[in-house]
Amino acid sequence: MADTTSPSDLAILAAKLDALVALIARAVPPAPVAPDFDAADAFVWSAKDLRLAPVARVNRVEMTLLQGIDLARDQLVGNTERFARGLPANNALLWGARGMGKSSLVKAAHATVNRTLVAEGRPPMKLIEIHREDIESLPVLLGLLSGTSLRFVVFCDDLSFDAGDTAYKSLKAVLEGGIEGRPDNVVFYATSNRRHLMPRDMIDNERSTAINPSEATEEKVSLSDRFGLWLGFHKCSQDDYLAMVRGYAAHFGLTIDDAELVRDSLEWATTRGARSGRTAWQYVQDLAGRLGKTL
């Protein structure tokens, strides 16, 4: 029997097959890219590409410039150092007032402990930042990190969840509750303005509409319980704020009369309606610009 298939029919069939292959390729997630951990000491996780992008220069503040958070500083550095040495350590939640140095402390603690490790001839820890919207891909990231002898601080800045968001369940399972749990060479640090990572009205709504209100509330609040170390950051006093301003000015060699520095920095904070480490840093940037100094 003669083949009656025309070239045009074959072209149409080939186009349909190409379209089918493209649809399958989009449906199947790409394999994670094997990371080169020698490329840097800090990386950013890209959930879209399933890869770790190296960060050549981390935007961090020296530990000595973080004022008014001495207790939190000592606790986080101690926890991080124990983890780096292979000792038991906790996941940490840094919560509280905006602009008080939560994320700065995480990055400074990583740098501080790494300096000690390198001085002892030990391999440095790696800092991995994962964005809030990529939390559901955290198990994939941990799979990449678990196959190495290096130690990792996985860090999520400004972590919180809103109504209808179920990503927190994935985070709960990864932190402690899942079959695999958190790899021994990984610790998870997060910052948040909320102590329980959920807005209060969301928790209250779950309580009022659930068949068993106490169980609904426990489901929401128990996420924070997965963090063994809770570090609270509160609005700073005027003295703490001025100590921050003076510390920055001295560190960067900004010469200004102390009385003028106090007057100007307090006026700066008043116009912004808040005293915080971030406000102090913004004032110092303005001061340095007016003095013609680079930071």
Side-chain angles (χ1 to χ4, degrees):
M1 182 176 181
D3 185 0
T4 60
T5 304
S6 67
S8 61
D9 291 336
L10 291 175
I12 294 173
L13 179 60
K16 290 182 177 179
L17 289 174
D18 288 342
L20 179 60
V21 169
L23 288 172
I24 294 174
R26 284 201 298 269
V28 177
V33 179
D36 176 13
F37 291 122
D38 293 330
D41 285 340
F43 299 81
V44 175
W45 171 245
S46 172
K48 178 181 178 182
D49 304 321
L50 297 182
R51 63 183 292 268
L52 287 164
V55 179
R57 183 176 178 272
V58 177
N59 179 26
R60 58 163 55 101
V61 176
E62 287 294 325
M63 184 70 80
T64 55
L65 296 177
L66 299 178
Q67 302 286 332
I69 54 173
D70 295 0
L71 179 59
R73 175 200 64 203
D74 293 345
Q75 288 183 302
L76 189 68
V77 170
N79 189 72
T80 306
E81 187 164 11
R82 288 189 294 274
F83 167 72
R85 297 183 184 283
L87 298 172
N90 280 304
N91 301 312
L93 174 63
L94 292 72
W95 66 275
R98 298 177 183 273
M100 281 304 296
K102 297 185 293 294
S103 60
S104 295
L105 180 57
V106 172
K107 291 180 283 188
H110 170 255
T112 298
V113 174
N114 264 359
R115 278 194 289 267
T116 301
L117 296 175
V118 171
E120 296 175 353
R122 302 163 69 101
M125 292 182 302
K126 306 297 180 178
L127 180 66
I128 311 291
E129 181 175 14
I130 181 171
H131 297 138
R132 156 65 189 87
E133 58 271 19
D134 295 335
I135 282 295
E136 286 186 317
S137 69
L138 187 55
V140 179
L141 171 60
L142 296 186
L144 285 177
L145 305 183
S146 62
T148 172
S149 61
L150 295 171
R151 304 189 77 76
F152 301 90
V153 175
V154 176
F155 166 53
C156 184
D157 192 23
D158 199 19
L159 179 64
S160 62
F161 299 94
D162 296 319
D165 192 340
T166 59
Y168 75 91
K169 296 185 178 181
S170 299
L171 179 58
K172 281 176 60 177
V174 165
L175 290 180
E176 278 187 26
I179 294 177
E180 294 186 52
R182 171 171 56 92
D184 291 338
N185 65 330
V186 176
V187 71
F188 188 83
Y189 289 175
T191 70
S192 178
N193 298 319
R194 301 168 179 167
R195 185 175 185 179
H196 292 300
L197 303 177
M198 308 281 184
R200 174 54 57 184
D201 57 352
M202 178 181 175
I203 295 176
D204 290 342
N205 182 65
E206 291 289 338
R207 180 188 294 115
S208 64
T209 59
I211 296 176
N212 189 326
S214 62
E215 288 185 1
T217 302
E218 181 66 21
E219 171 77 0
K220 305 299 182 184
V221 174
S222 64
L223 174 58
S224 296
D225 291 340
R226 297 298 196 275
F227 295 88
L229 183 61
W230 285 16
L231 301 176
F233 291 70
H234 309 287
K235 293 181 179 180
C236 64
S237 66
Q238 179 172 296
D239 289 343
D240 286 337
Y241 171 72
L242 291 175
M244 295 171 188
V245 171
R246 288 185 175 114
Y248 281 130
H251 180 78
F252 293 111
L254 305 181
T255 303
I256 181 175
D257 179 73
D258 187 67
E260 183 181 355
L261 180 70
V262 170
R263 182 180 64 252
D264 284 356
S265 62
L266 290 179
E267 180 180 351
W268 181 274
T270 300
T271 60
R272 278 145 188 79
R275 291 189 299 261
S276 69
R278 181 177 297 138
T279 305
W281 172 243
Q282 291 168 345
Y283 166 74
V284 167
Q285 289 187 98
D286 180 78
L287 175 63
R290 287 188 279 115
L291 295 177
K293 299 283 188 177
T294 58
L295 301 179

